[in-house]
Amino acid sequence: MYHRKVRDSATPSPGTRDACATRSSPLHSRVHFFLYRNGRLHCEDVDLARVAEELGTPLYVYSAGTILDHYQRLDAALAPLDHLICYAVKANSNRAILKLLADAGAGFDIVSGGELFRVLAAGGDPAKCTFAGVGKSREEIEYALDQRVYSFNVESEAELEYIDRIANASRRRGMRAPIALRANPDVNPHTYEYIATGSHENKFGIPLGRLAAIYERAANMRNIDIVGVQMHIGSQITEAEPFADAIKKVAPIVRDLKSKYGIKFFSIGGGLGIVYESSFESGRSEWWKENTSASTNKSKALSIQEYVDATLPALRELNVRILLEPGRLLVGNAGVLLTRVRYIKQTGQKKFTIVDAGMNDLIRPALYHSYHEIVPVEEPNCVGSVSGAGQTSKNKSTNKIKEKIDIVGPVCESGDFFALDREMPEVHECDLLAIMSAGAYGFVMASNYNSRPLPAEVLVRGDKFAIIRKRQTWKDLVRGEIDAPV
Ligand SMILES: Cc1ncc(COP(=O)(O)O)c(C=O)c1O
């Protein structure tokens, strides 16, 4: 055995980040902890080629140090405010990751009973959970009431009435459900249309003009306790202005609600974007100095500091607790999807690199046309060799040739691609590739399409790694299916 395992993968102890941040290693002062060492891609101090060799591919690998580092930097930047960071579980809901964040003090933004169940299983505190989502079921509302979540973030008048009725029903009679209405501030977040949520064209939230009347109704409901107001304008937002504009629009409402109902909190949602195009390079903190608006007019990324600088002054004046619901920011560039090249196929002008991961493992390119940087695990222009899955790579990484290729999966859909016409160093059969920034909305959206087993997930901490989800087997695919008796 050449690797050291984390003693207990489900219960990582806090402190990895400190270990990473304080020792004199190249990880010190990095923004994410994926980097080449001796020509091989490492996650923290773990050689990814070795992990892939041992556990196979496709394989999700997450850096605990990166996740905790993001959380702690955001937490520190918000220190002037009474605040709570509620990690948006939907971004990556693996229990080991929830446990990591719960231990760091995070609350959780959940959108289903299943997510609440996961948070509790990971040791999260329900009193730090906000329950969002446009279509909560009776069963989910009852469960969240019984667990005494911090707030239901309510998306419609119909939902408000339903929560009131359930809180009044049966053994819950007289129980008061804590609620915040989700405000739709109608701002353009300048992001991809499927992940914009704060404009009047989306199904989310309540128009600002309707809020006062619905809060008044809520105040007259026997089983409703008005505790806050919430908004979330969209995801993968890389400018500070839309956040600042939305806060400006909702701030007068917060003041009004505070004086009328004594609300405790204002949740400004999540949505902070991460770097996809220069994902690998953005691990260096110097990259941020060169590419954010402090240094250039063409900002490529939104830093935590820029976000906080643009929002904090207006929030401070409100004198209520501020909640944030970041998902992607905390886990997005803390994860990669490792995949091995199966075949090279040349057809006319096109060169296809067919890898063993598919759109069922990572659907973002197919669903959102999203860009993921893809890097070879063996550093281009370095001497070395890789072997795996019983095959030895014809590694020619000393080759400086760059070529345009499509990187596609084995799924029977033309939409099954990770990159189109992408300029890459020459890639060969059996080479190992890392699809960067795959930590958010990656595994959670994976499916068994084409009867492909779900990939395994691994968590790295310093020089150790642990499987935090086993790879599915073919047997798993049919488990739960029942022969029809007719
Ligand atoms: C209500 C709410 N909060 C938070 C988030 C997290 O967004 P992000 O991962 O972009 O931070 C989402 C994402 O859809 C959301 O709908």
Side-chain angles (χ1 to χ4, degrees):
M1 284 297 248
Y2 52 73
H3 79 254
R4 299 163 64 197
K5 280 192 178 175
V6 175
R7 266 164 300 154
D8 176 356
S9 62
T11 54
S13 59
T16 294
R17 183 254 172 198
D18 289 341
C20 291
T22 53
R23 72 181 158 218
S24 57
S25 85
L27 302 187
H28 179 65
S29 84
R30 286 187 64 85
V31 174
H32 68 66
F33 299 157
F34 292 91
L35 72 169
Y36 287 109
R37 283 210 188 117
N38 304 321
R40 288 158 78 107
L41 188 65
H42 281 62
C43 173
E44 306 192 16
D45 295 326
V46 169
D47 179 342
L48 288 176
R50 292 192 157 193
V51 182
E53 208 173 314
E54 161 128 356
L55 301 176
T57 51
L59 182 72
Y60 277 97
V61 181
Y62 310 116
S63 155
T66 305
I67 296 170
L68 289 175
D69 190 58
H70 285 325
Y71 175 81
Q72 285 160 353
R73 282 191 294 120
L74 183 61
D75 199 37
L78 294 168
L81 298 171
D82 173 14
H83 69 275
L84 177 65
I85 298 173
C86 294
Y87 167 63
V89 174
K90 63 168 79 68
N92 186 326
S93 58
N94 187 291
R95 234 174 43 179
I97 286 174
L98 302 182
K99 171 90 177 126
L100 200 65
L101 287 163
D103 285 349
F108 296 93
D109 178 57
I110 54 165
V111 291
S112 69
E115 285 193 352
L116 178 54
F117 182 81
R118 279 181 174 282
V119 167
L120 300 180
D125 181 356
K128 288 184 179 176
C129 285
T130 52
F131 189 3
V134 293
K136 301 174 188 78
S137 70
R138 164 181 276 275
E139 193 186 21
E140 289 175 324
I141 294 168
E142 286 176 350
Y143 181 44
L145 276 171
D146 291 345
Q147 296 300 327
R148 305 209 184 271
V149 294
Y150 185 64
S151 172
F152 288 86
N153 292 343
V154 175
E155 300 257 3
S156 65
E157 227 168 326
E159 183 193 328
L160 181 67
E161 283 165 13
Y162 197 44
I163 293 173
D164 181 45
R165 257 188 287 144
I166 293 172
N168 188 37
S170 63
R171 66 190 165 81
R172 292 174 194 82
R173 190 170 295 281
M175 193 171 187
R176 289 169 78 87
I179 67 100
L181 296 186
R182 176 167 176 175
N184 184 331
D186 196 16
V187 295
N188 182 351
H190 304 149
T191 188
Y192 184 68
E193 61 174 325
Y194 284 9
I195 50 177
T197 57
S199 102
H200 67 278
E201 288 174 349
N202 306 124
K203 68 180 175 185
F204 299 100
I206 297 167
L208 298 191
R210 291 278 303 134
L211 277 178
I214 303 178
Y215 268 111
E216 214 171 301
R217 278 207 63 199
N220 291 319
M221 292 179 177
R222 269 202 321 183
N223 303 96
I224 293 293
D225 205 3
I226 297 171
V227 292
V229 61
Q230 190 263 355
M231 67 177 184
H232 170 76
I233 58 172
S235 202
Q236 186 48 22
I237 300 169
T238 53
E239 300 162 16
E241 289 78 37
F243 294 110
D245 290 351
I247 290 168
K248 210 162 145 192
K249 278 179 127 176
V250 180
I253 296 170
V254 176
R255 282 191 204 95
D256 191 46
L257 294 172
K258 195 178 166 208
S259 73
K260 279 190 183 138
Y261 310 114
I263 62 164
K264 296 186 290 193
F265 78 86
F266 173 27
S267 175
I268 59 171
L272 284 93
I274 61 163
V275 177
Y276 282 102
E277 290 232 0
S278 309
S279 176
F280 182 75
E281 268 296 290
S282 75
R284 292 185 307 118
S285 20
E286 298 78 44
W287 182 92
W288 289 80
K289 289 182 199 128
E290 293 150 17
N291 289 286
T292 47
S293 53
S295 60
T296 163
N297 289 333
K298 273 181 72 189
S299 174
K300 287 190 186 164
L302 177 63
S303 70
I304 288 176
Q305 202 52 55
E306 279 174 294
Y307 170 79
V308 171
D309 287 349
T311 55
L312 192 127
L315 294 173
R316 213 172 185 171
E317 281 177 17
L318 296 173
N319 239 348
V320 291
R321 186 175 219 201
I322 301 301
L323 265 56
L324 264 83
E325 303 160 7
R328 192 187 310 265
L329 174 81
L330 299 187
V331 293
N333 64 14
V336 296
L337 175 59
L338 296 181
T339 183
R340 202 173 284 280
V341 177
R342 279 201 184 142
Y343 304 107
I344 305 286
K345 177 175 175 179
Q346 183 86 52
T347 55
Q349 301 297 307
K350 276 270 184 199
K351 186 167 179 181
F352 295 98
T353 296
I354 302 165
V355 296
D356 63 5
M359 63 187 286
N360 69 298
D361 302 304
L362 176 68
I363 202 175
R364 296 190 71 258
L367 188 63
Y368 304 129
H369 297 278
S370 55
Y371 184 100
H372 282 267
E373 189 177 17
I374 301 176
V375 299
V377 167
E378 187 132 346
E379 191 172 15
N381 311 326
C382 269
V383 181
S385 68
V386 184
S387 63
Q391 298 162 291
T392 303
S393 165
K394 299 179 211 90
N395 189 287
K396 297 186 187 87
S397 58
T398 45
N399 202 329
K400 290 187 180 157
I401 299 169
K402 286 214 166 189
E403 55 183 355
K404 276 200 174 169
I405 54 172
D406 284 9
I407 300 177
V408 301
V411 171
C412 300
E413 297 276 344
S414 296
D416 180 28
F417 61 84
F418 295 111
L420 299 177
D421 278 326
R422 179 78 55 89
E423 190 157 276
M424 292 280 295
E426 208 176 351
V427 174
H428 308 93
E429 285 178 11
C430 301
D431 280 0
L432 193 58
L433 303 176
I435 304 178
M436 304 295 297
S437 296
Y441 306 105
F443 183 91
V444 284
M445 288 191 182
S447 76
N448 287 126
Y449 186 44
N450 274 205
S451 287
R452 288 168 49 81
L454 292 175
E457 292 175 288
V458 162
L459 186 66
V460 169
R461 299 171 65 92
D463 63 354
K464 305 179 185 78
F465 68 91
I467 300 174
I468 56 171
R469 177 194 296 271
K470 285 188 199 161
R471 183 179 303 285
Q472 274 190 335
T473 62
W474 287 342
K475 271 191 180 164
D476 292 326
L477 295 178
V478 290
R479 186 162 296 134
E481 290 177 21
I482 298 167
D483 287 338
V486 286

